[in-house]
Amino acid sequence: MSAVHLVAGASSGIGAAVAAGAAASGARVAVCGRRRAPLTAVADDCGATAYVADVTRRADVEKLIADVVADHGRLDGVVANAGIMRAGGLLDLTDEDWDATLRTNLTSVFLLARAALPHLARTGGAFVTVGSVAGLRAPSGMAAYAASKAGAAMLTTTIAAEFGPLGVRANTVCPGWTRTEMADEEMREFGTPLGLSADEAYEQVTALVPQRRPAEAREIADAVLWLLGPHSSYVNGATLTVDGGTTVVDPGAVPFDFALTPRT
């Protein structure tokens, strides 16, 4: 029987790419999100089953997991991908923005895990959280986002430790800048005051990335799918950066790095 994977936050971007990749590999795919129209479009494109749910709400999550298992008979993988970004430093963030960010980026992971783990333990399944390099390094002006993604990665690591003995694997993928609907909006916010197009803003924010470009959503999805599948069977509790080398750069050495870049 083919595996059943649930992708939360699948209406666009990385979640939609994961759903498409999972379906192409032969899995039965369930997708969930809050926006019915784009979610239905993603489901129709890849043959997934769509479930409209707000994963920040306990009742929605419990019903979601129960419905997926009832409809498909099992649950082999969960991808916690729902996320928002509310910009602002510590003195600028409103209480509402802080609460919304933590609820969406961190609490949703907790709720999904708590509801899904008994089912994943029965199938020897996998739980994958989509984090961010912002949870590994301290970006300016993104205090809530960074804190939420760091918390999500550690929560996922505790899942690995607690449920590994039951056959469940839990890992986090931390993307760098990735071309998605949400990132496109951020590029417009960054670029407009400087007279930059979205493409020019992407060039600016990835200027120090060794690969000198943002990721495509499918590149992040490939890492998620690997962690869901059998070829990562002994990978548990890992935090995998998929960032073009962003986190290996030493800021103090950047001028020398540019001077020493190989010429071909």
Side-chain angles (χ1 to χ4, degrees):
M1 181 177 293
S2 57
V4 177
H5 295 320
L6 168 64
V7 185
S11 299
S12 63
I14 293 169
V18 172
S25 73
R28 289 177 288 160
V29 180
V31 293
C32 81
R34 289 181 292 189
R35 299 177 296 161
R36 182 178 297 276
L39 184 69
T40 300
V42 169
D44 289 346
D45 283 345
C46 66
T49 308
Y51 299 84
V52 177
D54 181 348
V55 292
T56 71
R57 298 170 58 88
R58 175 180 176 177
D60 276 24
V61 172
E62 291 178 349
K63 183 177 187 304
L64 167 68
I65 298 299
D67 286 349
V68 170
V69 173
D71 292 344
H72 296 280
R74 58 188 291 136
L75 185 61
D76 300 272
V78 174
V79 180
N81 177 65
I84 62 171
M85 180 183 290
R86 300 284 175 86
L90 288 171
L91 301 183
D92 304 316
L93 277 168
T94 65
D95 291 352
E96 292 74 19
D97 283 346
W98 174 267
D99 290 342
T101 303
L102 270 290
R103 210 166 46 242
T104 305
N105 297 356
L106 178 55
T107 301
S108 68
V109 179
F110 166 68
L111 294 175
L112 282 165
R114 186 170 62 180
L117 281 166
H119 302 285
L120 295 177
R122 283 193 281 274
T123 60
F127 190 96
V128 181
T129 297
V130 178
S132 170
V133 295
L136 306 175
R137 301 290 186 270
S140 60
M142 292 196 293
Y145 184 76
S148 68
K149 291 297 187 178
M154 181 50 69
L155 175 59
T156 305
T157 303
T158 65
I159 294 169
E162 290 186 20
F163 285 83
L166 299 181
V168 177
R169 295 183 299 108
N171 298 285
T172 302
V173 171
C174 288
W177 282 113
T178 305
R179 285 185 176 271
T180 63
E181 182 182 275
M182 186 169 74
D184 287 348
E185 180 58 34
E186 292 171 61
M187 290 307 105
R188 285 188 284 272
E189 292 178 6
F190 292 159
T192 298
L194 301 174
L196 301 174
S197 67
D199 284 344
E200 290 168 332
Y202 273 118
E203 290 179 9
Q204 291 290 322
V205 298
T206 60
L208 300 182
V209 176
Q211 288 191 241
R212 302 292 193 269
R213 65 172 178 85
E216 298 296 333
R218 61 173 175 77
E219 294 178 296
I220 311 303
D222 284 344
V224 173
L225 293 168
W226 179 70
L227 289 170
L228 285 175
H231 296 298
S232 61
S233 57
Y234 202 59
V235 180
N236 190 33
T239 300
L240 175 63
T241 57
V242 187
D243 64 355
T246 301
T247 50
V248 304
V249 173
D250 177 357
V254 165
F256 305 102
D257 291 341
F258 273 93
L260 297 173
T261 297
R263 304 296 182 214
T264 58

